[in-house]
Amino acid sequence: MATEGQLEYESILCVKPEVNVYRIPPRASNRAIRAADWKLDAPDWTGRMRVTARGKVAFVKLEDKISGELFAQAPVDEYPGITVETVSDSSRYFVLRIQDDNGRSAFIGIGFGDRGDAFDFNVALQDHFKWVKQENEFRKQAQAPDTTPKLDLGFKEGQTITLNIGQSKKKDRSRPQSSGGLGLLPPPPGGKLAPPPSSRSTNHNTQPSAEGNDTGCLLDLDSSNSNSVAPSNPTSTSTSTSTSTSTASPDLWGDFDSVSSK
């Protein structure tokens, strides 16, 4: 029966054509490792490095440049970690823990002639384990039950809602519209326009005077037809006669003369 590791395919993360391998002295204390303590001018082995991944585990493989024969490999379970460590005095050198098929392990030093190659090696491992971390989080979320309360937007029993449709339109219609920056009043309810103030005042002043003149003329006619005695105060009579003469029309005076001659 095939295991889970055998079913997973192997992907290539990074390939560097040249890497140097150094023997490093055993670590005497917990102090940081320095590449200056190595024999940098005389590497113990030079070859090709290939970084691969199978599932969640990355492998740093040191191979021969020509034949591709495997010289050593280091399985990396986490980064940064004990399998791949950086040195304190340079960004081009690392400490690598290699492991054989029997489970034996040893620490060696590796170095790159170009800082760009060292940067690519570092980023390749970081990206892989960032993906591993995201996969673990997604798996935990899928297995964990959803305990967050769900938002209930439905109506409760007996709950009602009131909608005021068209109310805003009525308010807009009642507002007078202005044109040219001057506010105009709305027309009266009957739809008829009131006459201008000048014409209204003229008609109001002339109408009472006409009625007063006609009434005076009729009173004079009644007094002449009844053959009444002349008033005792001739002055007031002449005054009223002159006043009515100045305001009466020519036709009414003609009737008055004919009555007086009789």
Side-chain angles (χ1 to χ4, degrees):
M1 182 176 179
T3 61
E4 183 179 358
Q6 291 176 348
L7 294 176
E8 294 173 344
Y9 64 91
E10 185 179 41
S11 60
I12 298 176
L13 304 180
C14 179
V15 176
K16 293 302 172 183
E18 184 174 351
V19 62
N20 298 323
V21 176
Y22 306 92
R23 290 181 179 180
I24 60 175
R27 183 179 300 180
S29 62
N30 292 331
R31 69 182 182 88
I33 301 175
R34 299 175 66 253
D37 298 335
W38 308 344
K39 297 179 180 179
L40 300 179
D41 54 347
D44 296 293
W45 184 84
T46 300
R48 180 183 65 187
M49 185 186 72
R50 193 160 56 97
V51 182
T52 63
R54 187 182 300 118
K56 298 180 180 180
V57 182
F59 296 89
V60 180
K61 298 182 179 182
L62 304 177
E63 302 171 343
D64 186 77
K65 291 182 179 180
I66 300 174
S67 63
E69 182 182 359
L70 181 64
F71 172 75
Q73 73 173 358
V76 185
D77 298 328
E78 60 179 353
Y79 182 78
I82 192 173
T83 305
V84 181
E85 300 180 68
T86 58
V87 297
S88 60
D89 57 346
S90 178
S91 61
R92 295 186 293 115
Y93 298 92
F94 301 86
V95 176
L96 190 66
R97 187 184 70 173
I98 58 177
Q99 188 174 353
D100 60 6
D101 296 337
N102 297 326
R104 295 179 299 179
S105 61
F107 289 93
I108 61 174
I110 61 173
F112 300 93
D114 188 4
R115 296 184 183 275
D117 293 340
F119 176 79
D120 294 341
F121 171 68
N122 189 16
V123 170
L125 293 176
Q126 287 181 355
D127 291 344
H128 172 71
F129 286 100
K130 186 182 297 183
W131 170 81
V132 171
K133 183 179 178 180
Q134 292 177 353
E135 287 293 321
N136 293 334
E137 292 178 355
F138 293 154
R139 182 172 299 179
K140 289 180 181 179
Q141 293 177 359
Q143 294 176 355
D146 189 7
T147 57
T148 57
K150 296 182 179 180
L151 184 62
D152 186 10
L153 299 178
F155 286 99
K156 305 297 186 296
E157 184 177 358
Q159 187 177 5
T160 59
I161 186 172
T162 303
L163 298 177
N164 296 326
I165 301 176
Q167 185 175 3
S168 60
K169 294 182 179 180
K170 293 181 180 179
K171 293 182 179 179
D172 294 341
R173 290 176 182 175
S174 62
R175 296 177 182 175
Q177 298 181 356
S178 60
S179 60
L182 298 177
L184 298 179
L185 295 177
K192 297 180 180 180
L193 296 176
S198 59
S199 62
R200 195 188 330 178
S201 61
T202 304
N203 295 334
H204 179 72
N205 295 333
T206 57
Q207 186 68 24
S209 63
E211 293 178 357
N213 293 335
D214 295 340
T215 305
C217 294
L218 293 176
L219 290 175
D220 293 339
L221 291 174
D222 291 340
S223 60
S224 60
N225 292 332
S226 62
N227 296 322
S228 61
V229 182
S232 59
N233 191 358
T235 306
S236 59
T237 303
S238 61
T239 304
S240 61
T241 303
S242 62
T243 304
S244 60
T245 303
S246 61
T247 58
S249 59
D251 295 337
L252 294 176
W253 268 111
D255 295 339
F256 182 77
D257 293 338
S258 62
V259 174
S260 300
S261 62
K262 292 178 182 181

